[in-house]
Amino acid sequence: MEEKKEPTGEPCFVGKKDELIQAKRSFRTIEGRDILIIHHQGVFYAMDSYCYHAGGALQTGDIEELNGKLCIICPNHKYKITLAQGEGIYKASDPREKPPVPRWYSKGVKQRTHTVTENNNGDVYVKLSDIAGWIESDFYQGEKGKIERERAAAEKDS
Ligand code: FES
């Protein structure tokens, strides 16, 4: 069984601010973890690169404000994940309500997010999340995660 590697806690240089802004979405591997860095409306965000649901690549997901929160929408099955917290949100209505009114609900944090900082020289760093315990997007990281992503992709295509 693969050991879960603990992050060193050291911020890792991921690029120059100007380049990251221009790119809008940047993929980096930090300590074996695949991370998506997003620049949107003047703010940097970083999260695990593969969707917690079935390992979809979030890099090409649209970003929309939903229920007052900026979310990335996974291209695979349209799951919505808040950029700031990695919260999974969904809209549903209670059929017992007459008439049913669709509302937003939270599934809690599903996608691991990371901390982005920058210095005065325009260098940008990502510090990996050190939140203990399991967050669902952990499943698709590392060597084992690669196998799981391939398995999920094969199921989607079949
Ligand atoms: Fe992202 Fe299914 S893989 S919504």
Side-chain angles (χ1 to χ4, degrees), residues 51-56 58 74-79:
C51 174
Y52 73 89
H53 172 226
L58 292 175
C74 178
N76 278 15
H77 313 99
K78 309 295 178 200
Y79 277 33

Side-chain angles (χ1 to χ4, degrees), residues 123-154:
D123 297 330
V124 179
Y125 297 82
V126 169
K127 181 179 175 298
L128 291 181
S129 154
D130 57 4
I131 292 174
W134 178 256
I135 294 180
E136 283 186 37
S137 65
D138 294 345
F139 188 71
Y140 292 104
Q141 290 288 332
E143 282 306 308
K144 184 178 168 293
K146 187 175 172 207
I147 295 166
E148 297 297 347
R149 293 199 307 276
E150 286 167 356
R151 184 177 301 168

Side-chain angles (χ1 to χ4, degrees), residues 20-145:
L20 294 169
I21 289 174
Q22 198 175 12
K24 295 192 177 103
R25 319 267 176 104
S26 305
F27 177 92
R28 296 287 185 275
T29 301
I30 301 172
E31 297 177 29
R33 198 166 188 101
D34 293 337
I35 304 298
L36 176 61
I37 300 156
I38 296 170
H39 187 266
H40 187 79
Q41 295 178 348
V43 180
F44 281 113
Y45 303 89
M47 61 171 50
D48 282 355
S49 191
Y50 309 115
C51 174
Y52 73 89
H53 172 226
L58 292 175
Q59 193 152 355
T60 56
D62 290 334
I63 294 175
E64 284 180 29
E65 187 174 323
L66 302 168
N67 199 30
K69 293 175 179 176
L70 284 169
C71 297
I72 192 156
I73 301 171
C74 178
N76 278 15
H77 313 99
K78 309 295 178 200
Y79 277 33
K80 290 130 183 94
I81 302 167
T82 67
L83 291 183
Q85 305 292 337
E87 193 185 353
I89 65 167
Y90 66 101
K91 202 173 209 179
S93 51
D94 183 346
R96 292 168 300 183
E97 250 183 358
K98 302 283 177 226
V101 180
R103 290 191 181 82
W104 286 102
Y105 295 91
S106 172
K107 303 180 200 174
V109 173
K110 297 288 185 178
Q111 194 79 15
R112 195 175 282 276
T113 57
H114 310 280
T115 308
V116 186
T117 54
E118 56 188 86
N119 67 15
N120 293 336
N121 297 326
D123 297 330
V124 179
Y125 297 82
V126 169
K127 181 179 175 298
L128 291 181
S129 154
D130 57 4
I131 292 174
W134 178 256
I135 294 180
E136 283 186 37
S137 65
D138 294 345
F139 188 71
Y140 292 104
Q141 290 288 332
E143 282 306 308
K144 184 178 168 293

